[in-house]
Amino acid sequence: MKRRNFLVAAGAALVAGCNRIAETNAGKAVLDAADSWHKNAQRLLTSRDALAPEYPASAISPFFRGNGSTDPQNGDYPRHVEEGFANWRLEVTGLVANPLSLSLENIRKLPQRTQITRHDCVEGWSAIGQWTGPQLSVLLDAAELRDDARFVIFRCADNLNGGDYYESVDLIDAYHPQTIIAHSLNGQALPVRNGAPLRMRIERQLGYKHAKYLTGIEAVASLDDVGLGKGGYWEDHAGYQWYAGI
Ligand SMILES: Nc1nc2c(c(=O)[nH]1)N[C@H]1C(S)=C(S)[C@@H](COP(=O)(O)O)O[C@H]1N2
Ligand SMILES: [Mo]
């Protein structure tokens, strides 16, 4: 554990350093090249379908902090909080033969997976939590993903510094067995600070990929026309790498 924590801290320091490197044009070109290398070649060299470590209940952090948006005040979100999320819907759209619109009850009735995993944020903190929800693969199969789909976009209810938060993964992470749509943390409905009522868990990647306040899942062929084209809020606005594997 100590060694892993050190590695996470070292990784966070490296990312902080990378943001400075990214400010120079040459540095940016190198990082972009590395990112597309990740997108294209990394899957050939390492096993992208390996499982992230899972932990015993005794390892669960007493408090799972919130980060980024922790209490969205935009749009319909405050009304949904007041209603106890009774009218929340999750839409599955895009390159699918059978679009879905699911209530929280629909989602709780699907086959469920529970996993205790460690969340690593690039800002240099980690927390262990137990997450429960259906695998994303179950929804994608029910929606009948079309052959031309290559990426899955996660749409979020919150607006962070004026931009809509969103994220995306390729189909390897979309179909990874630990990629779930979590409605519960440590056996309780998600707190607002952790993304109520639904948030993604993308266990092989860093924290910013785990979209909170999930309203939509959209299958696309390319990321170019989504947001500013880099595949996520932090990718678009701060040059974070799209593939944030850990
Ligand atoms: N919709 C949305 N999802 C988000 C964020 C956010 O601000 N908005 N922050 C990201 C970051 S940087 C991290 S580390 C995790 C934090 O999850 P937590 O609030 O449950 O700790 O959510 C990620 N998902
Ligand atoms: Mo983060």
Side-chain angles (χ1 to χ4, degrees), residues 22-138:
E23 283 161 19
T24 69
N25 281 340
K28 180 108 183 56
V30 169
L31 292 179
D32 284 348
D35 193 37
S36 66
W37 179 83
H38 262 306
K39 274 178 191 152
N40 299 321
Q42 204 235 13
R43 72 194 51 160
L44 303 175
L45 304 177
T46 64
S47 176
R48 290 272 317 274
D49 48 13
L51 294 179
E54 295 195 18
Y55 296 81
S58 59
I60 291 173
S61 304
F63 178 74
F64 202 107
R65 59 170 281 186
N67 201 48
S69 295
T70 53
D71 190 14
Q73 292 302 321
N74 59 289
D76 293 340
Y77 190 79
R79 178 174 60 79
H80 283 293
V81 174
E82 259 170 51
E83 295 168 351
F85 301 108
N87 297 306
W88 193 268
R89 308 294 294 189
L90 176 65
E91 313 286 340
V92 184
T93 60
L95 300 176
V96 295
N98 180 34
L100 307 174
S101 174
L102 304 170
S103 67
L104 292 184
E105 203 196 336
N106 296 151
I107 286 169
R108 286 194 211 97
K109 282 190 176 151
L110 293 169
Q112 305 285 301
R113 181 180 164 97
T114 291
Q115 58 203 29
I116 301 176
T117 53
R118 196 186 63 207
H119 179 102
D120 297 320
C121 172
V122 289
E123 291 171 30
W125 59 273
S126 301
I128 293 177
Q130 182 198 61
W131 305 98
T132 303
Q135 291 170 317
L136 176 57
S137 62
V138 171

Side-chain angles (χ1 to χ4, degrees), residues 42-43 47-50 135-137 140 150 152 154 168-180 200-206 209 242-246:
Q42 204 235 13
R43 72 194 51 160
S47 176
R48 290 272 317 274
D49 48 13
Q135 291 170 317
L136 176 57
S137 62
L140 295 178
R150 289 286 173 275
V152 175
F154 305 116
S168 63
V169 294
D170 63 17
L171 296 187
I172 298 178
D173 272 313
Y175 277 93
H176 188 281
Q178 289 168 318
T179 295
I180 66 171
M200 291 310 303
R201 295 300 308 167
I202 313 284
E203 303 293 0
R204 293 292 309 281
Q205 296 203 47
L206 288 170
K209 301 297 290 187
W242 173 78
Y243 185 74
I246 45 179

